[in-house]
Amino acid sequence: MKNTQQFIKDNQQKFLDELFALLRIPSVSADPNFQNDVAACATHLATHMQHIGLDAVELISTAGHPIVYGEKIVDPTLPTILVYGHYDVQPADPLELWKSPAFEPVIKTTPIHPEGAIFARGACDDKGQFFMHIKAVEAMLQTQELPCNVKIMIEGEEEVGSPNLAVFVRENKLKLQADVILVSDTGMLANDVPSITTGLRGLSYVEVEITGPNRDLHSGLYGGCVANPINVLTKMISSLHDENMRITIPGFYDKVIELSSEDRAEMAKAPFSEKAYCEALDIDTTHGEKGFSTMERGSIRPTLDVNGVWGGYIGEGAKTVIASKAFAKISMRLVPDQDPEEITSLFLQHFESIAPPSVRVKVTPHHGGQPVVTPTDSPAYAAASQAYEKTFGKKPIPVRSGGSIPIIAMFEQELGLKTILMGFGLDSDAIHSPNEHFGLFNFYRGIETIPYFFQNFSTINQ
Ligand code: BES
Ligand code: MN
Ligand code: MN
């Protein structure tokens, strides 16, 4: 991999310019106003994948946004790595909180990234990260050091739950045949504390609607006589946690796998500063389920959070009104072996059961996803671990993450393949937030580390 590493060093500026071009395309999958940009991003990517020398490059249209695919089959008897990523991004709102425009990438330094970071929507999630694979593969192709087969599949709907990729995977099992799936769409602990993500939480997402009277009412004439949907909704929501911050939905914890005390002790070895965590968020103290550490609450324990709540009058000044309806969006992050459909139905039954007779309740489920844990005793994990050791000079720590990538569990179910999550982002990179960024250190270190994974994985599998 000597020539590969040299090629990467020699092409740093070119790689960055190319990433900037990708970041300038506002591929927001959730907003129909950006549909043409999403399509343009897919086309741009397909052209680029062709340009670096991949074969069978395809722009695959779906019922939603296109999937981009390309491959290099060096020798069918060699192992195959399937790289997955997503070129779609979250909406950039609220735009006024961005210090530089979301789709005009710039390099700025931060205390955590003194060598500079790329600021743009999608810089870390996930354009900057999947692009590391494209550049690593380009380097191996150019130097004729690609040690195995590679298939690259980049989708455009991850941020909206991958509805059409799931269909595509189910219908293209042969095309996607591989030995392992490799994904960079997660994070690591710190630039001097490399880590490999070994778990993702699942997700159940619901929207609730509480209806009281058939119209908005004068709060003086009717106040005190009819149920106020906003009062009722907030009370129902607050009853979903008990005083120990445990979720009160009957059966919610039934399938939760509790970690052994050995596993918890192992987890506790990962460096974590409660003080630095609080300082970074301007909070005085953390908050969560009794009996668990902050690291545990954010990874191995399930949660329930209101993501949005609305209803009634929120304009200037005061309007005396009892709203007819109140709404909330609620996410539940799940851990093995909780099942999103089952949790959604438990939520629905419970939420309906706690509503007073004075209101009506409607629960609408949105997309969900299964939780995942990946083994640390597999040849693929060893290959990844040794790759990090080579470039970071340190053994990476396995850590379970709190985020979700719903398609990963699908890959395992449909293709029978395990995934290696080699994420190079940091929690402080503000993904989904204004001023999202990705460290230059992280971008280049990722590109350097990936070829070693290819090499190690190919050697182990021969
Ligand atoms: N890349 C993230 C997930 C992630 C980030 C996992 C950091 C671990 C560490 C992904 O793009 C994402 O945002 N997923 C969504 C779920 C999806 C269904 C919208 C999430 O976790 O909220
Ligand atoms: Mn992502
Ligand atoms: Mn995301």
Side-chain angles (χ1 to χ4, degrees):
M1 290 288 149
K2 240 195 165 144
N3 298 331
T4 295
Q5 296 299 341
Q6 191 57 46
F7 184 89
I8 294 167
K9 272 198 195 77
D10 293 342
N11 287 278
Q12 288 202 345
Q13 188 58 45
K14 177 181 95 94
F15 290 176
L16 191 61
D17 293 342
E18 290 168 351
L19 175 59
F20 271 34
L22 196 62
L23 291 170
R24 287 194 188 99
I25 310 172
S27 48
V28 179
S29 51
D31 185 343
N33 290 320
F34 290 87
Q35 202 184 327
N36 291 340
D37 300 293
V38 179
C41 190
T43 309
H44 175 95
L45 190 57
T47 309
H48 188 75
M49 281 165 55
Q50 225 150 17
H51 175 78
I52 68 154
L54 289 173
D55 298 329
V57 173
E58 260 184 283
L59 194 60
I60 301 154
S61 47
T62 70
H65 301 302
I67 299 162
V68 187
Y69 179 86
E71 62 181 33
K72 191 69 174 185
I73 308 298
V74 184
D75 173 350
T77 62
L78 288 174
T80 302
I81 297 173
L82 172 60
V83 173
Y84 161 81
H86 64 94
Y87 67 83
D88 65 320
V89 300
Q90 285 277 323
D93 328 55
L95 296 179
E96 66 279 10
L97 295 183
W98 283 80
K99 296 198 178 96
S100 58
F103 298 105
E104 294 174 25
V106 285
I107 308 279
K108 287 184 276 188
T109 59
T110 74
I112 290 177
H113 296 293
E115 73 301 320
I118 308 153
F119 280 76
R121 169 58 86 232
C124 179
D125 185 13
D126 175 41
K127 287 174 174 169
Q129 294 217 63
F130 80 69
F131 201 63
M132 300 180 308
H133 292 269
I134 298 198
K135 295 299 101 180
V137 169
E138 174 182 346
M140 291 185 280
L141 283 171
Q142 284 295 321
T143 55
Q144 292 176 5
E145 289 183 336
L146 182 65
C148 61
N149 305 313
V150 61
K151 298 178 175 177
I152 302 186
M153 178 171 68
I154 313 294
E155 71 151 319
E157 297 190 316
E158 195 277 342
E159 299 293 5
V160 291
S162 306
N164 294 297
L165 183 67
V167 178
F168 178 77
V169 170
R170 219 168 278 133
E171 291 172 355
N172 289 276
K173 292 186 187 171
L174 212 61
K175 184 189 183 75
L176 301 174
Q177 233 169 34
D179 296 281
V180 74
I181 297 175
L182 181 60
V183 177
S184 293
D185 191 23
T186 56
M188 57 180 199
L189 287 177
N191 283 356
D192 57 352
V193 191
S195 59
I196 296 178
T197 306
T198 52
L200 293 164
R201 286 196 283 196
L203 182 65
S204 159
Y205 200 108
V206 295
E207 187 166 329
V208 300
E209 178 187 310
I210 302 290
T211 306
N214 60 6
R215 60 186 167 89
D216 288 3
L217 301 172
H218 188 290
S219 65
L221 298 182
Y222 289 93
C225 307
V226 298
N228 177 327
I230 301 178
N231 291 3
V232 170
L233 175 63
T234 51
K235 192 166 173 190
M236 286 168 74
I237 286 171
S238 64
S239 78
L240 296 175
H241 289 97
D242 69 12
E243 66 283 6
N244 294 322
M245 280 303 282
R246 275 181 68 91
I247 294 149
T248 55
I249 300 169
F252 187 85
Y253 290 96
D254 285 1
K255 298 212 171 141
V256 170
I257 298 182
E258 305 277 344
L259 263 65
S260 67
S261 42
E262 292 81 43
D263 284 347
R264 290 180 68 184
E266 197 54 41
M267 251 190 95
K269 287 186 191 158
F272 178 80
S273 157
E274 191 87 8
K275 187 167 166 277
Y277 185 89
C278 288
E279 274 170 12
L281 300 177
D282 278 332
I283 50 178
D284 294 330
T285 170
T286 53
H287 176 74
E289 186 183 356
K290 195 174 169 191
F292 294 93
S293 70
T294 301
M295 279 274 249
E296 291 173 330
R297 288 167 179 169
S299 62
I300 60 159
R301 299 300 295 167
T303 60
L304 182 151
D305 277 291
V306 177
N307 292 236
V309 56
W310 70 103
Y313 183 70
I314 54 165
E316 282 291 311
K319 177 185 177 192
T320 48
V321 68
I322 293 174
S324 164
K325 286 178 188 289
F327 305 84
K329 291 185 194 274
I330 297 172
S331 70
M332 289 162 275
R333 296 283 170 171
L334 312 179
V335 299
D337 278 332
Q338 287 177 300
D339 175 70
E341 279 180 28
E342 191 181 333
I343 292 294
T344 301
S345 98
L346 290 176
F347 176 92
L348 194 142
Q349 280 167 40
H350 178 67
F351 209 66
E352 283 176 348
S353 79
I354 60 172
S358 48
V359 298
R360 272 161 291 140
V361 176
K362 192 169 131 197
V363 177
T364 312
H366 284 275
H367 53 67
Q370 303 274 354
V372 225
V373 257
T374 62
T376 51
D377 57 1
S378 68
Y381 186 89
S385 181
Q386 286 157 24
Y388 281 81
E389 250 186 287
K390 190 115 185 176
T391 52
F392 285 85
K394 274 185 198 177
K395 208 177 163 142
I397 302 172
V399 228
R400 280 172 61 174
S401 169
S404 310
I405 310 176
I407 203 70
I408 305 293
M410 251 284 293
F411 284 148
E412 187 165 346
Q413 276 165 24
E414 299 294 332
L415 304 174
L417 292 178
K418 293 276 184 201
T419 296
I420 292 290
L421 297 159
M422 288 175 66
F424 291 92
L426 299 181
D427 281 357
S428 55
D429 286 346
I431 63 169
H432 294 207
S433 303
N435 307 304
E436 174 177 354
H437 54 279
F438 188 39
L440 288 174
F441 167 87
N442 305 68
F443 179 56
Y444 292 125
R445 191 53 60 88
I447 301 174
E448 289 157 23
T449 308
I450 291 161
Y452 290 120
F453 174 81
F454 274 65
Q455 186 180 41
N456 298 341
F457 187 75
S458 307
T459 321
I460 292 171
N461 275 273
Q462 265 167 21

